[in-house]
Amino acid sequence: MPRSRASDALRAAQMYYLQDLTMDAIARELRTSRSTVSRLLSSARESGLVQVQIRSPLDSAPELERMIRSQYGVDVHVVPVLDTLNEAETLDRVAMQAARTIGPLVDSNAIIGVAWGATISAVSRHLTRKITHDSTIVQLNGAGNMQTTGITYASDIMRRFGIAYGARVEQFPVPAFFDHASTKTAMWNERSVQRVLELQAKMSIAIFGVGSVHADYPSHVYAGGYLDETDLNLLAGSDVVGDVATVFFRADGSSDGITLNERSTGPSHEQLRQVRRRICVVSGASKINGLRGALAARLATDLIVDEATAKRLVSFGSPS
């Protein structure tokens, strides 16, 4: 938003929300039309200058948030969603609130790791502009597979984050999974790859969804040609319930002995746990097993989740 328009939007928002002036009164003070004031107020909301909170005594979200925070030790935002919405509509609602929640957490001089996937792709479409200085968006895991380089899919997500926060974008042009662990070891010794790995090691924020083996709305890693039948059988044999950034885990959060992780290009769980703020976005109750596994692995510090999934999470109880 141009500086002059941002200034007008801020002035209009202050008069409307803080001083209780009508749009007609604001139009007179700003010497403009009522329709222009309406557009300025819309711009203020869309750009993040104004954030609206609604606290209803009938809303179950605050109690769910308290219970999840107590059981799992994460900061949580529960998104109220009607049961009549389908998975795609629910995802859009969750993504919109996630984008508005993430914005205030992003500051200048930050290195922000972003994992590709259907959920984070949806989030990227709802990001509001917040200009930062000397910040970097770094891709967390490679996106290539036997059918596609994955560059277009992943770069579109990274580009939206970069534009929203005025940040540099560092892509990770490697496959999601190498065919051989030895190939990964060799590539990780290349200086061009090490440069990206070093950025990942300095992340202050990581943003990711949870891939789930049996989700109704298929996770991109399971539906996008990344895993063949042999890979899927290996995952089933290791009791895998989900992944974060293409690194897999079981229901108890463990990941040892999962051979596919040796070929994955995503950050290890140990590395991810070193990041100060780890924002996990989940939509769809069918992802409950993957979500519980991610929480058991302590991969998230912040959780943004729809109400139906939050209720199932609470009813399952805390991880052992």
Side-chain angles (χ1 to χ4, degrees), residues 8-194:
D8 288 343
L10 177 59
R11 193 177 300 117
Q14 289 170 328
M15 288 189 281
Y16 186 78
Y17 291 103
L18 301 181
Q19 300 171 24
D20 289 332
L21 295 183
T22 66
M23 280 196 259
D24 288 329
I26 296 169
R28 286 194 297 272
E29 285 207 22
L30 296 182
R31 297 182 179 179
T32 188
S33 66
R34 189 181 190 279
S35 60
T36 297
V37 172
S38 179
R39 287 193 294 272
L40 288 172
L41 293 174
S42 294
S43 295
R45 289 191 297 271
E46 292 168 2
S47 65
L49 285 173
V50 171
Q51 294 183 346
V52 179
Q53 288 187 329
I54 300 174
R55 299 194 178 276
S56 167
L58 304 177
D59 189 0
S60 64
E63 179 62 15
L64 286 171
E65 290 172 351
R66 185 194 64 78
M67 295 173 71
I68 293 171
R69 191 176 297 113
S70 174
Q71 291 180 8
Y72 294 92
V74 294
D75 288 334
V76 59
H77 301 270
V78 172
V79 183
V81 178
L82 293 174
D83 294 337
T84 55
L85 297 184
N86 61 35
E87 289 244 0
E89 292 168 328
T90 298
L91 172 58
D92 193 61
R93 300 289 179 86
V94 172
M96 184 180 298
Q97 184 153 334
R100 292 175 178 175
T101 301
I102 289 168
L105 304 179
V106 175
D107 293 317
S108 294
N109 305 305
I111 298 177
I112 304 155
V114 176
W116 54 260
T119 300
I120 303 305
S121 179
V123 172
S124 72
R125 292 184 176 91
H126 290 288
L127 294 171
T128 54
R129 187 70 65 91
K130 177 183 179 180
I131 299 301
T132 66
H133 303 284
D134 198 27
S135 292
T136 302
I137 306 296
V138 60
Q139 185 176 327
L140 282 184
N141 49 326
N145 62 28
M146 293 178 290
Q147 300 175 13
T148 174
T149 64
I151 290 174
T152 301
Y153 177 75
S155 65
D156 281 348
I157 298 171
M158 305 304 144
R159 176 180 54 80
R160 294 185 197 112
F161 273 89
I163 290 172
Y165 303 130
R168 296 187 303 275
V169 173
E170 293 287 351
Q171 296 181 1
F172 200 16
V174 294
F177 303 98
F178 287 104
D179 288 337
H180 307 283
S182 58
T183 308
K184 174 182 171 179
T185 300
M187 284 294 294
W188 260 224
N189 285 322
E190 292 291 326
R191 286 176 295 178
S192 59
V193 173
Q194 286 182 346

Side-chain angles (χ1 to χ4, degrees), residues 44 88 104-105 217 222:
L105 304 179
Y217 194 83
Y222 304 102

